[in-house]
């Protein structure tokens, strides 16, 4: 699991437990998903390059560090990925946001891309593909393939909850993509829900079903 980073920070784990609880309502669920996404973004951006600048403080000149200005792009997978975007944008407000939509063909069970709108300079950006649940890995792998076809070169994948099946699938199809998760759960059930998971992330975020 060398390219999988699991964030065991107490704040993330505490908030994730409330997110998992079925009695947590839509408003609180949404707020907490956003908060966890923000905390995860803090860790995911740990390797952003810095450059030195000379600053005049009220008392003296000082050599300080600022972000080098690496271009970042967020790519939420519709629709549940949208729930994490604002949290990440709170820390990286200048990031551009592409969107990708997929559905599963009921006969072939393959993920079919129905929407993809990316920043025009996608190849120059450090992209973070976002989906709260890495379940079978089929959507994540198809979304990443789609944005690679559109020119993406540097891609990270960020989710709240992953599982061994999804991680193995993504690692096999895209070994170059690092995976960031708040948890690696036990397994998938027969309907491809993550166990214990949190249920349907999209439904819980948007109050549908
Ligand atoms: N998608 C979800 O929203 N939940 C799961 O458990 C699996 C996939």
């Amino acid at each position: 699991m060398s390219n999988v980073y699991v964030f065991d920070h107490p704040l993330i784990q505490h908030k994730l437990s409330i997110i998992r609880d079925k009695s947590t309502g839509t408003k609180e669920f949404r707020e907490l998903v956003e908060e966890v996404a923000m905390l995860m973004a803090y860790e995911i951006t740990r390797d952003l390059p810095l450059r030195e600048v000379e600053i005049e403080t009220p008392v003296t000149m000082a050599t300080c560090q600022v972000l080098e200005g690496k271009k970042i792009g967020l790519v939420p997978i519709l629709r549940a990925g949208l729930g994490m975007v604002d949290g990440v944008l709170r820390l990286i407000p200048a990031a551009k946001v592409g969107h990708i939509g997929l559905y599963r063909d009921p006969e072939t069970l393959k993920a079919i891309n129905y929407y993809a709108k990316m920043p025009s300079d996608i190849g120059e950006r450090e992209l973070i593909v976002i989906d709260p649940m890495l379940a079978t890995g089929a959507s994540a792998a198809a979304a990443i393939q789609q944005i690679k076809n559109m020119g993406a070169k540097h891609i990270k994948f960020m989710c709240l909850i992953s599982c061994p099946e999804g991680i193995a699938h993504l690692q096999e199809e895209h070994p170059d993509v690092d995976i960031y998760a708040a948890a690696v759960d036990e397994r998938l059930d027969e309907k491809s829900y993550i166990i214990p998971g949190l249920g349907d992330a999209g439904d819980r975020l948007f109050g549908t079903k």
Side-chain angles (χ1 to χ4, degrees):
M1 294 241 261
S2 56
N3 69 337
V4 181
Y5 301 90
V6 182
F7 299 136
D8 58 0
H9 192 288
L11 284 175
I12 293 180
Q13 292 309 314
H14 175 82
K15 289 172 194 289
L16 185 62
S17 300
I18 304 171
I19 288 170
R20 288 181 187 275
D21 188 331
K22 73 174 189 182
S23 68
T24 299
T26 304
K27 176 177 178 288
E28 197 182 0
F29 186 92
R30 208 179 272 154
E31 288 168 356
L32 287 167
V33 167
E34 195 176 312
E35 280 176 27
V36 171
M38 183 184 70
L39 294 169
M40 290 181 72
Y42 175 78
E43 291 291 341
I44 292 172
T45 51
R46 194 173 273 287
D47 61 352
L48 282 182
L50 294 166
R51 67 181 165 83
E52 289 194 344
V53 289
E54 292 296 308
I55 303 257
E56 189 175 0
T57 77
V59 279
T60 184
M61 291 301 294
T63 304
C64 301
Q65 294 189 317
V66 294
L67 289 171
E68 199 176 64
K70 198 163 192 171
K71 292 175 164 183
I72 296 185
L74 312 181
V75 185
I77 301 179
L78 301 176
R79 79 188 150 138
L82 293 175
M84 296 175 75
V85 170
D86 284 349
V88 180
L89 282 175
R90 270 157 66 186
L91 287 195
I92 323 171
K96 298 238 168 120
V97 183
H99 293 88
I100 188 153
L102 305 147
Y103 71 90
R104 199 200 299 207
D105 184 299
E107 274 163 27
T108 64
L109 302 182
K110 281 194 172 161
I112 310 287
N113 176 238
Y114 67 85
Y115 185 78
K117 181 89 179 171
M118 296 297 139
S120 55
D121 54 357
I122 183 176
E124 293 160 34
R125 288 187 180 268
E126 189 78 46
L127 297 169
I128 306 175
V129 175
I130 304 174
D131 197 347
M133 309 300 278
L134 179 59
T136 64
S139 309
I144 289 168
Q145 189 56 56
Q146 174 69 27
I147 62 171
K148 281 183 176 174
N149 294 346
M150 296 171 87
K153 294 189 182 72
H154 309 286
I155 304 170
K156 294 175 173 173
F157 179 80
M158 167 187 192
C159 62
L160 288 184
I161 301 181
S162 61
C163 63
E165 296 91 329
I167 289 171
H169 187 154
L170 205 50
Q171 284 178 326
E172 192 177 318
E173 289 203 28
H174 300 288
D176 55 310
V177 174
D178 288 344
I179 300 169
Y180 297 85
V184 181
D185 277 9
E186 279 170 34
R187 61 182 171 87
L188 292 179
D189 73 4
E190 62 289 347
K191 290 184 179 157
S192 296
Y193 275 88
I194 296 178
I195 301 295
L198 51 70
D200 187 299
D203 282 344
R204 295 200 62 194
L205 273 167
F206 297 109
T208 46
K209 208 170 179 185

